[in-house]
Amino acid sequence: MNWQATVLTLFPEMFPGPLGLSLAGRALEKGLWTCRTEDLRQHGLGRHRAVDDTPFGGGAGMVIRPDVVDAAFAASQTPADVPRVYLTPRGRPLTQQDVRRYAAGSGVLLLCGRFEGVDERVLQAHDVEQVSIGDYILSGGETAALVLLDACVRLLPGVMGCEESGVEESFSEGLLEYPHYTRPAEWEGRAVPEILLSGNHAAIAAWRQKQAEEITRERRPDLWSAWLARKERNMAEAVGGAAQTDHFGV
Ligand code: SAH
């Protein structure tokens, strides 16, 4: 069974969009994943197929109605075990860990908001996870859904040529990745770090690790303190484990 993406949106024409090209596009052609859309407008009310209404309590903008979203959920006929995700700046930040979890399952059901967003009750009724792609406001959830799908699809078995490239990259060890260099060895007076030309794999690995640590400390203090805490915990466990072995070994 292939991995199934189902997207509830007012703009079905936006899918697969850029994911119809390159790595994800080839995977789509090969049938490694599928991308279905459910048009929210089809479930709109009345002659004008209205999907939104003014917010209770007043304020600017319009809110997508719960009954409309509910009807679209039902029409999508997505199995109950598929994660339901609403893309929203009010959600918890999307991480590579979430992406790995989604990619490991049978697919995802994504709800894209527009206007001021979606009535809260339908999100509760359907146990919807609320996920943000970053601290900024987009005009709609579609581009956020494309981001989430891109991140998932590249992890599906058979999608990436070199399986390795998914293992050693930013976030996989809790650190940002080291910098990359390719030919020419000297470009406009800038030389590649000499160690990379040394052929000494252990020294190169150590250099890359140090670079990854420095860059993470500088650019992402949040990731850096989490990494330090994890390292400390692992060391404590290793020491505890060793002590235990000694104890039982005696
Ligand atoms: N009034 C809302 C923003 C609405 S933006 C608020 O202040 O929280 C319109 C739609 O774009 C949202 O319903 C959501 O689906 C999408 N969207 C905007 N920014 C996003 C982000 N950072 N991550 C994920 N989805 C986002």
Side-chain angles (χ1 to χ4, degrees):
M1 264 287 278
N2 57 19
W3 195 82
Q4 290 203 325
T6 307
V7 187
L8 274 51
T9 170
L10 280 166
F11 297 96
E13 308 86 340
M14 287 176 77
F15 296 88
L19 300 182
L21 290 108
S22 189
L23 196 75
R26 279 195 299 278
L28 198 57
E29 270 169 32
K30 279 200 253 170
L32 298 175
W33 70 295
T34 55
C35 189
R36 290 193 301 150
T37 53
E38 185 63 44
D39 188 353
L40 287 172
R41 184 68 61 190
Q42 295 287 322
H43 304 282
L45 307 171
R47 207 156 50 86
H48 296 293
R49 299 228 169 253
V51 297
D52 56 343
D53 211 325
T54 53
F56 279 123
M62 300 294 273
V63 177
I64 301 182
R65 293 174 56 113
D67 45 0
V68 171
V69 174
D70 185 60
F73 270 132
S76 76
Q77 294 192 326
T78 315
D81 62 321
V82 170
R84 296 168 173 220
V85 180
Y86 171 47
L87 285 315
T88 166
R90 297 178 57 240
R92 65 182 157 73
L94 179 70
T95 65
Q96 188 65 11
Q97 211 175 335
D98 298 313
V99 168
R100 277 196 292 264
R101 171 167 59 89
Y102 297 142
S106 62
V108 283
L109 176 57
L110 304 179
L111 171 61
C112 303
R114 282 272 155 180
F115 324 120
E116 289 308 316
V118 174
D119 186 289
E120 192 74 18
R121 292 165 297 176
V122 73
L123 304 174
Q124 286 164 1
H126 287 278
D127 240 347
V128 176
E129 291 179 44
Q130 301 195 38
V131 167
S132 164
I133 66 156
D135 292 345
Y136 39 78
I137 309 290
L138 305 167
S139 54
E142 288 77 10
T143 43
L146 289 168
V147 166
L148 188 151
L149 291 178
D150 181 346
C152 290
V153 166
R154 63 191 286 285
L155 294 186
L156 300 177
V159 172
M160 268 194 287
C162 174
E163 300 291 340
E164 291 259 309
S165 52
V167 178
E168 196 178 296
E169 60 190 358
S170 293
F171 310 120
S172 52
E173 302 294 328
L175 293 175
L176 302 179
E177 205 181 40
Y178 49 81
H180 299 283
Y181 300 88
T182 186
R183 269 173 281 275
E186 187 168 328
W187 173 75
E188 303 206 342
R190 293 164 193 266
V192 163
E194 223 175 287
I195 185 121
L196 298 178
L197 310 174
S198 70
N200 182 340
H201 296 299
I204 290 171
W207 180 86
R208 285 180 165 167
Q209 178 69 19
K210 193 158 167 282
Q211 289 284 316
E213 289 175 16
E214 270 172 24
I215 289 164
T216 306
R217 185 166 49 82
E218 214 176 276
R219 297 182 187 170
R220 292 293 300 273
D222 56 327
L223 292 180
W224 179 242
S225 27
W227 187 81
L228 282 180
R230 209 164 39 245
K231 194 170 149 185
E232 239 163 64
R233 219 170 33 242
N234 288 347
M235 266 159 73
E237 268 166 29
V239 170
Q244 210 169 51
T245 318
D246 282 344
H247 178 76
F248 286 109
V250 169

